[in-house]
Amino acid sequence: MIVNHFKSINKRLYPQKLFYGPEWIVLGVNNVCNLHCKMCDVGIEYTASNFYQNLMGTSPINMPMGLIKIIFTQTEKFYPKTKIGYAFTEPLIYPDLIESLQYAKAKNLYTSITTNALTLKQKAKDICESGLDDIFISLDGPEEIHNQIRGHKSSFQKAIEGIDELLKHSQQPNISIFCVITEWNIGHLKEFADYFKKIPLKQLGFMHTNFTPDFIVSNHNKIYGDKYPATISNTEQIEISKMNLKILLDEIREIKKINYPFELTFSPEIKSENDLDVFYNHPEKLVGRICNDVYRNVMIKSDGSVIPAHGRCYNLNIGNIYNNSLKEIWNSKVVSEFRKDLMAAGGLFPACSRCCSAF
């Protein structure tokens, strides 16, 4: 509690220099995905978005093992309690995944993987033996719904087979599942949650859609476009107007009545019809009060360049691991000014209004 209080004071009163280290280092270990998700700029190949460029815009396609070793060595040296998150674009098809996990384990670093789990079954044994701490699996509803959203006729089944394979091993990572709420899975969320009652999950999380519509981008860029240009995101195939908010609220309330054998969360927590309407139909209204991740995360791309927070953030180069130490990058001039400008804006820019970092 004392540490958290200190961090809160630091970021509010002196955001240009953080006197503590990052909580997470997010790795963009590759620039390729094996699914075509309808709610994702990468999946639909919307190349103009910041999100797409942060995930796909660097070379080489795969992060070299030499760069991984530099990152992990510096993490052990400067911030040994910092967590390593393999998040982008699809870590399970990263060719050096197992070797890099083993290297992290040798340095006693915490590791997690965020994945669509399409190839999890083939990797499960090696992942368990590598000492991975947590695996976060993205699924979007019951089998038929998920497969439709992901553009693959058996992606749900393959993910479940992968989970089953993990559970066969005595040493296994904690397993959590996260589901993005969209127009296509509303009405099926309770069925989805009930499916996992007998699977030993650590957590099942529902995430309200992150999106940036054009009028928000326009409003943002009028003020901040020169320094922190925003782009539309997650709006090309999603139609917010088609989301049945009454059914969604009924499902949320029904799910919350049930005592599931795992932690169950919604991000953000929305409890009323009016709050749902604000979230989806009035994105000009801020839901969160402050960006959390720019004060606790950095993301490193496959070429060693670093951006604040993670893939949904502004495509702002705050340093490069090949040229700067992790300690230098954490409080570099560029990111320090970015944090200070965020605080001066009240904690969030207009285009941050529906980013998950605000919740």
Side-chain angles (χ1 to χ4, degrees), residues 20-65:
Y20 58 88
E23 181 178 337
W24 284 91
I25 294 174
V26 180
L27 300 180
V29 292
N30 58 11
N31 299 336
V32 63
C33 191
N34 49 5
L35 288 179
H36 300 282
C37 308
K38 294 168 69 172
M39 71 294 190
C40 175
D41 292 336
V42 172
I44 64 171
E45 297 186 348
Y46 180 67
T47 62
S49 76
N50 282 338
F51 183 67
Y52 184 97
Q53 289 302 317
N54 284 335
L55 269 61
M56 305 291 282
T58 57
S59 179
I61 291 176
N62 295 301
M63 181 177 284
M65 189 62 199

Side-chain angles (χ1 to χ4, degrees), residues 13-240:
L13 298 184
Y14 200 64
Q16 59 267 43
K17 184 173 182 180
L18 301 184
F19 294 95
Y20 58 88
E23 181 178 337
W24 284 91
I25 294 174
V26 180
L27 300 180
V29 292
N30 58 11
N31 299 336
V32 63
C33 191
N34 49 5
L35 288 179
H36 300 282
C37 308
K38 294 168 69 172
M39 71 294 190
C40 175
D41 292 336
V42 172
I44 64 171
E45 297 186 348
Y46 180 67
T47 62
S49 76
N50 282 338
F51 183 67
Y52 184 97
Q53 289 302 317
N54 284 335
L55 269 61
M56 305 291 282
T58 57
S59 179
I61 291 176
N62 295 301
M63 181 177 284
M65 189 62 199
L67 178 56
I68 287 276
K69 290 182 177 180
I70 293 172
I71 296 167
F72 291 178
T73 298
Q74 291 194 15
T75 303
E76 179 192 34
K77 179 180 179 180
F78 298 122
Y79 306 115
K81 294 183 179 180
T82 294
K83 299 176 180 180
I84 303 293
Y86 293 70
F88 302 116
T89 294
E90 174 43 52
L92 289 194
I93 56 176
Y94 172 54
D96 294 322
L97 176 63
I98 302 305
E99 182 183 355
S100 62
L101 287 171
Q102 292 168 342
Y103 192 80
K105 189 67 175 179
K107 292 190 171 296
N108 201 33
L109 297 175
Y110 165 100
T111 53
S112 72
I113 289 175
T114 301
T115 176
N116 60 38
L118 188 65
T119 61
L120 179 57
K121 183 178 181 180
Q122 298 94 304
K123 304 288 197 320
K125 180 176 182 294
D126 289 339
I127 284 174
C128 289
E129 292 177 352
S130 74
L132 180 73
D133 294 282
D134 278 280
I135 188 165
F136 307 129
I137 297 173
S138 300
L139 297 175
D140 296 313
E143 182 177 313
E144 184 177 348
I145 301 296
H146 172 85
N147 291 345
Q148 175 200 4
I149 294 172
R150 294 296 175 117
H152 190 292
K153 64 181 181 181
S154 57
S155 56
F156 184 90
Q157 301 92 307
K158 288 182 178 296
I160 298 304
E161 289 173 2
I163 292 171
D164 290 341
E165 193 66 30
L166 287 177
L167 294 173
K168 292 178 182 179
H169 300 274
S170 56
Q171 177 182 326
Q172 60 192 236
N174 298 312
I175 304 170
S176 297
I177 290 174
F178 291 90
C179 173
V180 176
I181 297 170
T182 64
E183 65 198 78
W184 305 292
N185 59 25
I186 291 174
H188 305 274
L189 301 181
K190 183 179 179 297
E191 176 190 351
F192 179 71
D194 289 346
Y195 179 91
F196 294 100
K197 281 183 176 179
K198 295 184 179 180
I199 298 178
L201 300 181
K202 178 182 178 182
Q203 180 182 0
L204 174 60
F206 290 99
M207 303 176 65
H208 290 281
T209 294
N210 297 166
F211 63 102
T212 312
D214 55 1
F215 77 95
I216 294 294
V217 171
S218 178
N219 292 341
H220 172 98
N221 285 341
K222 287 176 184 177
I223 308 171
Y224 301 105
D226 290 342
K227 290 181 73 173
Y228 311 117
T231 64
I232 65 172
S233 183
N234 290 8
T235 59
E236 291 296 285
Q237 290 196 15
I238 289 178
E239 293 186 57
I240 298 299

